[in-house]
Amino acid sequence: MKIKTIDVFQVDLPVKGGVYRLSGGREYTAYDATIVRISTDTGFEGWGESTPFGSTYIAAHAGGTRAGIDLLAPTLIGMDPRQHDRLWDKMCNTLKGHRDARTALDIACWDIAAKAAGQPLCDMLGGRTPGAIPVISSIGGDTPEKMREKVANHRAQGFLGHSIKIGASEAEGGPMLDAERIQACLADRQPGEWFLADANNGLSVEHALRMLSLLPDGLDFVLEAPCASWRETQSLRQRCNVPLLLDELVQSEADLMQAISQDTCDGVGLKVSKQGGITPMIRQRTIAASAGLVMSVQDTVGSEISFATILHIAQSTPRHLLRCALDPRSMVTLSTAEFEAPIVNGGAEAPDALGLGVSPKLETLGEPVATYGV
Ligand SMILES: [Mg+2]
């Protein structure tokens, strides 16, 4: 089987609720999504998505995603889409870094491989674990009262995991406001709930230590991505006893090995477009599991194709190490594909359909912005 053509589509995904806020005053109103269709000489079609969160999240942006695909896609024409490591090597040897550009191409090849094998993707990735995958809520930075309400709203829908955004500037309220946000979100905590306080690399060590000193003992939460650099994170690690989960700092296998060798964290957030697709996701999942790190399986953001990828990876991840998956559909208002995985009682299960199990809406995607292989 050979890759015959690659089509690239572009859509804007408007943010649900109008605006999404992160630490450092970062705001997003829409996300620029790149969706890829790969067709083979045997008639298979595979789909993949790469949607960077925005140019201020990590070193990735949507224009760069498509510019990278423009370099990568021609080199994959004629290759076997089932030889994931060889495809990954080819992409690494064509373009350094830019994992977001490899992502959609890598996913589409996995979609084809699973369809050709007659399996849902989660079975290709090691086998389905039983039961629904707990989905995590995303509570954007706001007043403590509003964030407490949003947690209550998600709790009422059955969510057990809650990701609460912190990282207020001094002008907004600084460490005091962040401490109040954490306390408000945990105020009604129920048994079995899991809370992440996610700073998206937005805290200085000084901010983090002041915030932690303002919190009462006994609050059960994990601090995610507190600082922007390894040095700051390591410094904080040595001076606090709150469990740490890394996200933005861990993109490559080498990053993960560094975190493990220096004992920088207790868990890691693996995101499909941040790690570079399914091939590096499952490599890093194995490394993290070997070190006993807990994992959240997510994406930077995205639509149905992104969620399908997340869900199949999460569905095949050892359950005792999997904390949650993200449903990026809940963050945007545009639907790009049919995907039968409703959230029921705060969880979702990968469908039995072959491959990813997505049926993209061609009328929504419009005409390709680029085509390779013809
Ligand atoms: Mg995060």
Side-chain angles (χ1 to χ4, degrees):
M1 190 193 307
K2 290 184 167 58
I3 295 173
K4 191 173 152 201
T5 58
I6 300 175
D7 295 305
V8 181
F9 302 86
Q10 188 276 327
V11 287
D12 289 323
L13 307 174
V15 171
K16 190 172 280 186
V19 61
Y20 193 90
R21 294 186 177 86
L22 288 188
S23 59
R26 290 171 287 178
E27 293 187 349
Y28 308 94
T29 56
Y31 306 112
D32 183 340
T34 300
I35 289 172
V36 157
R37 174 176 59 195
I38 294 182
S39 306
T40 71
D41 61 348
T42 54
F44 284 107
E45 264 188 7
W47 292 87
E49 175 175 358
S50 180
T51 309
F53 201 61
S55 59
T56 52
Y57 178 62
I58 56 172
H61 69 104
T65 304
R66 289 187 290 276
I69 289 172
D70 192 53
L71 286 172
L72 298 172
T75 71
L76 304 184
I77 301 296
M79 290 188 72
D80 187 329
R82 299 166 297 185
Q83 296 186 350
H84 309 291
D85 288 348
R86 299 294 77 75
L87 294 156
W88 181 255
D89 290 346
K90 173 67 83 172
M91 291 196 282
C92 292
N93 291 333
T94 304
L95 176 65
K96 293 282 181 205
H98 299 276
R99 288 175 171 251
D100 54 294
R102 300 178 205 160
T103 299
L105 297 165
D106 178 84
I107 297 168
C109 288
W110 276 98
D111 188 22
I112 290 169
K115 286 171 178 168
Q119 292 184 319
L121 181 59
C122 59
D123 283 342
M124 290 283 289
L125 301 179
R128 177 185 295 275
T129 58
I133 300 300
V135 169
I136 196 163
S137 71
S138 186
I139 313 292
D142 210 326
T143 64
E145 298 73 27
K146 283 189 181 153
M147 291 174 75
R148 184 176 181 176
E149 282 171 26
K150 285 179 191 168
V151 171
N153 185 275
H154 281 89
R155 178 178 293 123
Q157 297 172 50
F159 284 73
L160 289 173
H162 306 282
S163 173
I164 58 182
K165 297 297 184 183
I166 58 169
S169 67
E170 291 291 341
E172 290 172 315
M176 180 75 82
L177 175 57
D178 282 337
E180 288 170 355
R181 286 167 164 174
I182 293 170
Q183 289 179 87
C185 288
L186 269 75
D188 312 306
R189 185 183 179 278
Q190 300 296 308
E193 286 189 328
W194 186 65
F195 285 86
L196 282 170
D198 187 359
N200 294 104
N201 286 10
L203 309 185
S204 63
V205 177
E206 182 248 23
H207 181 127
L209 290 173
R210 284 166 63 199
M211 178 190 80
L212 293 171
S213 75
L214 292 167
L215 292 171
D217 290 337
L219 288 183
D220 182 7
F221 72 99
V222 176
L223 184 58
E224 176 172 344
C227 303
S229 71
W230 287 99
R231 192 213 66 78
E232 292 166 290
T233 307
Q234 202 65 40
S235 172
L236 180 63
R237 173 72 163 172
Q238 289 161 3
R239 291 193 274 161
C240 80
N241 56 10
V242 175
L244 290 190
L245 189 142
L246 293 189
D247 182 351
E248 286 90 329
L249 279 178
V250 175
Q251 298 179 26
S252 67
E253 290 83 336
D255 295 335
L256 184 55
M257 293 298 290
Q258 178 177 343
I260 293 166
S261 65
Q262 298 180 351
D263 191 28
T264 314
C265 64
D266 307 292
V268 63
L270 298 178
K271 291 179 166 161
V272 182
S273 303
K274 173 167 67 80
Q275 299 349 100
I278 294 171
T279 302
M281 281 288 280
I282 59 174
R283 289 179 184 177
Q284 294 185 33
R285 177 176 73 177
T286 301
I287 296 170
S290 301
L293 300 184
V294 300
M295 289 170 255
S296 66
V297 176
Q298 309 195 357
D299 203 345
T300 45
V301 69
S303 59
E304 278 79 2
I305 301 168
S306 159
F307 181 53
T309 311
I310 290 169
L311 195 54
H312 281 281
I313 295 169
Q315 194 80 58
S316 56
T317 297
R319 199 59 70 93
H320 69 288
L321 293 172
L322 176 71
R323 282 288 171 270
C324 60
L326 175 76
D327 179 4
R329 299 175 303 182
S330 66
M331 300 167 70
V332 301
T333 60
L334 187 77
S335 168
T336 62
E338 301 292 344
F339 179 58
E340 275 305 309
I343 305 297
V344 179
N345 234 356
E349 199 155 357
D352 283 323
L354 303 187
L356 285 170
V358 295
S359 302
K361 298 174 180 173
L362 298 177
E363 69 283 5
T364 301
L365 300 183
E367 291 298 313
V369 295
T371 296
Y372 304 90
V374 289

